[in-house]
Amino acid sequence: MKIMRNSELIKIFSEMAELLEMKDVPFKPRAFEKAAHSLEALEEDVADIYKREGIAGLEKIPGVGRGIAERIEEYVTTKRIRDYAQLKKEMPVDISGLTAIEGVGPKTIRLLYKKLKIKNVRDLEKAARSGKLKKLPRFGEKLEEKILKGISFQKIHAGRMSLGEALPLSRSIIGRLKKIPGVSAVESAGSLRRWQETIGDLDFLVIASEPARVMSAFVAMPDVMGVTARGETKSAVRLRSGIHADLRVLPPESFGSALQYFTGSKDHNVALRTIAIAKKYKLNEYGLFKGNRRVAGETEEGIYKKLGLDWMPPELRTNTGEIEAAGKHRLPKLIDYDDVRGDCQTQTTWTDGAHSIEEMAREAKRLGREYIAITDHTKSLAMTHGSDEAKLRKQMAEIKKLNKRLSGIRIFSGAEVNIAKDGALDISDAVLAELDFVGASIHSHFNLSTREQTTRLIRTMENPHVDAIFHPTTRVIQKRDAIALDLDELFKAAARTGTMLEVNAHPWRLDLKDDLVRRAKTFDVKFIIDTDAHSTAELSYLEYGIAQARRGWCAKKDVINTLGAADFSALLEKPKAKRFSSR
Ligand code: DGT
Ligand code: CA
Ligand code: CA
Ligand code: ZN
């Protein structure tokens, strides 16, 4: 469970970072951002730490200095932070709502408030529609259009929660439900069980000897804002985060069929029911029936088996060929959640990350990884203080020292090299050749034509030192569309040059996404799955990327960082074009 008080402080500190950024205050925004990041990773309530050890205890939290500790103390003891209240008074705007719109950052928010008194997305839309935005300094027609597009993008996706928020929430609710006496099984079904990238609502299924007890406990959870339905075996609630959750209590003999039914997808279920009917069965959430006799229902396996199908992982249930494959006993053997052994994209305090190389490496080790590549940004991404050649060499020396000192984790030197408009890189080939692992990625010029964008990435892939393209389509879920690309041509070039494509596991990105992974695979493209972590907490994101690869029908052999550290390193020693040819 994300601890309540911590999550309130995370929000306050991130907002303070943005508010101070708007006022051009130097250094301080970074300190608040860092504090917010480290509270995210904290597993204990700050109030408990404060009660036990006072302000000195707070200062022991990584990323929390004296100033931040004092503000935490103030919040714990008075429920408010005075300088936050003051900042909000000067700038009473909905920061998280506005920054969620693509193209709107802290500086823009300040300008919008100063010039047009814009406080929220609704004000912003009105101003854009009436043509007031384009008259502002540095704005113009194009930015106004971009903002309107961003707002409509938001509306289309409104009401759905990112998997990255929904999964921890679901897990904490499952933990709570399991503790209720008489409960013997709890599962999360629906889109969450299929690891879909956004979630409409949560669906819980429970076996319990006393359903009434489960109902009262469910509607009384501290996260519950409102109860929309309450019955003997079924309830629905609205949670604080805005998402709805359904819960059903089932008898054991129907648990498998309910799990199957409520996992979906709807398209998968419709196809399955057609098969059932053809075989003279009736299939619903209570079981598989021949006449009035239940022939299966206790387990999912039982249902699929009676229909002549192999059981299939929920990630595959989209009715895009999995049912046919299951009927021919030709389902792919998917990569497992514990198959990935190293994380190949991480950022540190050397650029825009919140933690040092050593902190990141230690956390990666704690999570069971065998290796981690440090891939800080490069110089043309100026706002991250990106590395130039000299800084990269200095970092390589530091990594060498750390590798001698640390055991049980190997650190590879690397970079996330920024790709210019024409596909060129901002680091010399000589230095790229010295790095263990080089990723390259696009962070600008998102609006080029398909032709230009495809040529741009292929030129980058032709560089013999570029091992992988990071977040290849640069989409941001619910925020920014993928760039225009001739994907087939891109995938062909990736396979030909031996350039790996990343499945970025960050729940904002998930890039390449499931269906593109599946298509790339037909061209024999090889993948790596990375977290793109900018803090130790984000190193745990790997599972989201693995889920995406599974939804793209990937086997272990398709994903190169399933190799151990020695094999991975040996592979990188080979010339790119020869790495995968014998496979
Ligand atoms: P969501 O909540 O929008 O992210 O997506 P789901 O897939 O979780 O959808 P939800 O919560 O409406 O329903 C859960 C599952 O129940 C769904 O995946 C399939 C099943 N289901 C719901 N409605 C129908 C239906 O009308 N027909 C069939 N065959 N299955 C349904
Ligand atoms: Ca659902
Ligand atoms: Ca539902
Ligand atoms: Zn990055």
Side-chain angles (χ1 to χ4, degrees):
M1 188 82 220
K2 268 265 164 65
I3 305 136
M4 212 48 230
R5 201 135 22 197
N6 293 4
S7 55
E8 284 159 15
L9 278 165
I10 291 165
K11 184 164 174 271
I12 290 175
F13 289 154
S14 337
E15 281 206 5
M16 282 187 81
E18 309 218 37
L19 287 162
L20 291 165
E21 178 100 40
M22 286 178 210
K23 296 181 73 175
D24 277 324
V25 177
F27 309 117
K28 270 181 151 184
R30 284 275 292 151
F32 282 103
E33 210 181 292
K34 212 171 149 184
H37 272 305
S38 75
L39 290 188
E40 267 170 36
L42 197 65
E43 278 165 16
E44 200 185 352
D45 192 332
V46 286
D48 295 339
I49 299 177
Y50 179 69
K51 254 181 245 151
R52 200 177 56 234
E53 297 174 60
I55 199 152
L58 297 175
E59 275 185 90
K60 275 189 232 151
I61 304 168
V64 173
R66 185 78 194 182
I68 301 283
E70 281 170 359
R71 286 179 181 86
I72 297 176
E73 176 183 48
E74 190 185 347
Y75 191 73
V76 170
T77 51
T78 70
K79 282 237 105 204
R80 68 192 288 258
I81 294 178
R82 271 164 306 163
D83 54 0
Y84 171 66
Q86 181 57 38
L87 283 167
K88 278 297 264 192
K89 209 168 129 194
E90 289 168 30
M91 192 80 75
V93 296
D94 170 15
I95 298 173
S96 58
L98 286 168
T99 47
I101 308 291
E102 167 74 355
V104 181
K107 295 273 155 59
T108 316
I109 293 176
R110 177 170 73 170
L111 184 77
L112 292 171
Y113 181 69
K114 286 262 144 75
K115 298 273 177 196
L116 299 173
K117 288 274 165 280
I118 288 173
K119 287 186 185 170
N120 52 40
V121 179
R122 199 176 330 135
D123 297 346
L124 179 64
E125 185 174 11
K126 242 199 258 164
R129 290 211 184 285
S130 58
K132 278 188 195 150
L133 288 191
K134 61 170 175 269
K135 291 185 198 130
L136 291 178
R138 297 188 298 109
F139 254 73
E141 193 101 29
K142 247 184 147 169
L143 191 53
E144 184 170 276
E145 250 169 53
K146 186 176 172 185
I147 284 176
L148 276 172
K149 210 172 132 198
I151 292 171
S152 77
F153 209 96
Q154 274 283 307
K155 280 190 186 157
I156 292 168
H157 296 282
R160 297 189 68 82
M161 187 183 250
S162 125
L163 180 62
E165 274 182 87
L167 188 69
L169 183 62
S170 160
R171 282 178 178 158
S172 79
I173 292 174
I174 289 176
R176 217 177 265 282
L177 295 172
K178 279 192 169 153
K179 284 195 202 123
I180 302 169
V183 167
S184 55
V186 184
E187 290 280 354
S188 199
S191 48
L192 188 105
R193 185 164 179 245
R194 302 195 314 274
W195 294 79
Q196 193 173 287
E197 64 191 43
T198 63
I199 305 297
D201 73 356
L202 302 173
D203 306 278
F204 296 101
L205 305 177
V206 173
I207 302 179
S209 52
E210 298 172 68
R213 211 162 168 170
V214 180
M215 291 300 131
S216 351
F218 181 64
V219 300
M221 293 187 305
D223 267 20
V224 171
M225 281 279 276
V227 180
T228 47
R230 180 167 180 180
E232 277 168 30
T233 58
K234 191 185 155 204
S235 288
V237 297
R238 189 162 54 82
L239 300 174
R240 203 176 287 278
S241 49
I243 199 169
H244 289 251
D246 297 339
L247 179 141
R248 288 175 178 79
V249 178
L250 296 144
E253 63 272 18
S254 290
F255 194 71
S257 47
L259 187 57
Q260 195 290 311
Y261 181 87
F262 291 109
T263 297
S265 67
K266 203 168 157 182
D267 291 347
H268 175 89
N269 286 357
V270 169
L272 210 61
R273 191 175 300 152
T274 313
I275 294 179
I277 291 167
K279 292 186 186 285
K280 306 264 188 292
Y281 288 114
K282 194 176 89 192
L283 175 64
N284 58 32
E285 59 265 51
Y286 304 106
L288 183 69
F289 297 88
K290 194 121 229 181
N292 286 329
R293 193 167 54 90
R294 190 196 323 262
V295 295
E298 201 174 327
T299 65
E300 282 194 328
E301 284 84 350
I303 306 247
Y304 284 108
K305 195 166 170 214
K306 275 271 186 272
L307 296 176
L309 305 171
D310 293 338
W311 177 86
M312 64 205 87
E315 294 91 325
L316 295 183
R317 300 184 197 170
T318 49
N319 192 30
T320 52
E322 78 281 5
I323 294 181
E324 293 76 0
K328 293 182 193 144
H329 311 293
R330 277 205 204 130
L331 281 167
K333 165 93 184 72
L334 298 182
I335 178 172
D336 272 321
Y337 285 96
D338 56 4
D339 278 340
V340 175
R341 293 162 76 176
D343 192 340
C344 298
Q345 192 196 159
T346 64
Q347 280 81 12
T348 71
T349 44
W350 284 67
T351 56
D352 61 346
H355 294 101
S356 67
I357 301 176
E358 180 167 354
E359 286 167 324
M360 294 294 272
R362 286 187 186 279
E363 177 64 8
K365 176 181 166 183
R366 196 185 69 81
L367 292 170
R369 319 267 187 264
E370 292 170 28
Y371 51 100
I372 180 174
I374 303 298
T375 56
D376 277 298
H377 292 287
T378 55
K379 64 187 171 201
S380 58
L381 214 56
M383 75 261 196
T384 68
H385 310 289
S387 304
D388 58 11
E389 283 82 353
K391 189 165 162 185
L392 277 171
R393 284 205 163 112
K394 216 169 124 196
Q395 194 181 44
M396 283 185 248
E398 159 102 11
I399 288 173
K400 212 166 166 185
K401 271 195 244 155
L402 277 169
N403 272 326
K404 286 205 183 108
R405 191 149 62 74
L406 301 180
S407 68
I409 182 88
R410 178 144 165 212
I411 309 170
F412 289 117
S413 62
E416 178 181 8
V417 187
N418 192 34
I419 301 174
K421 189 180 175 189
D422 63 356
L425 301 177
D426 61 349
I427 297 294
S428 74
D429 280 356
V431 170
L432 293 182
E434 291 170 29
L435 293 166
D436 295 321
F437 179 79
V438 175
S441 53
I442 287 179
H443 297 100
S444 61
H445 303 289
F446 300 119
N447 292 320
L448 304 182
S449 69
T450 307
R451 183 76 263 129
E452 288 170 299
Q453 211 69 281
T454 309
T455 311
R456 179 187 189 188
L457 271 183
I458 291 177
R459 176 169 173 205
T460 307
M461 293 196 290
E462 302 281 1
N463 183 313
H465 305 296
V466 172
D467 300 299
I469 300 292
F470 289 159
H471 46 78
T473 76
T474 78
R475 69 143 178 182
V476 178
I477 294 174
Q478 297 183 316
K479 193 158 174 181
R480 185 171 72 216
D481 276 326
I483 51 175
L485 285 168
D486 182 332
L487 289 161
D488 288 1
E489 206 181 310
L490 186 83
F491 295 154
K492 262 182 233 164
R496 171 175 57 79
T497 57
T499 311
M500 297 175 253
L501 296 186
E502 183 184 61
V503 179
N504 191 295
H506 199 295
W508 290 350
R509 288 196 183 269
L510 302 178
D511 181 11
L512 291 176
K513 75 196 281 288
D514 44 22
D515 56 330
L516 300 189
V517 170
R518 194 166 164 192
R519 189 151 141 209
K521 225 174 86 76
T522 65
F523 291 88
D524 249 341
V525 168
K526 299 297 172 193
F527 307 96
I528 41 159
I529 303 176
D530 307 321
T531 62
D532 199 353
H534 285 65
S535 69
T536 50
E538 292 180 347
L539 286 167
S540 66
Y541 286 161
L542 211 51
E543 59 182 339
Y544 299 106
I546 297 170
Q548 209 62 203
R550 285 166 63 87
R551 287 170 59 92
W553 294 49
C554 269
K556 185 176 174 182
K557 67 167 173 30
D558 299 316
V559 178
I560 302 309
N561 51 339
T562 58
L563 293 173
D567 289 339
F568 185 69
S569 160
L571 184 88
L572 294 176
E573 295 290 316
K574 288 192 207 167
K576 252 172 83 167
K578 298 210 173 123
R579 284 178 192 165
F580 310 117
S581 45
S582 61
R583 280 160 155 265

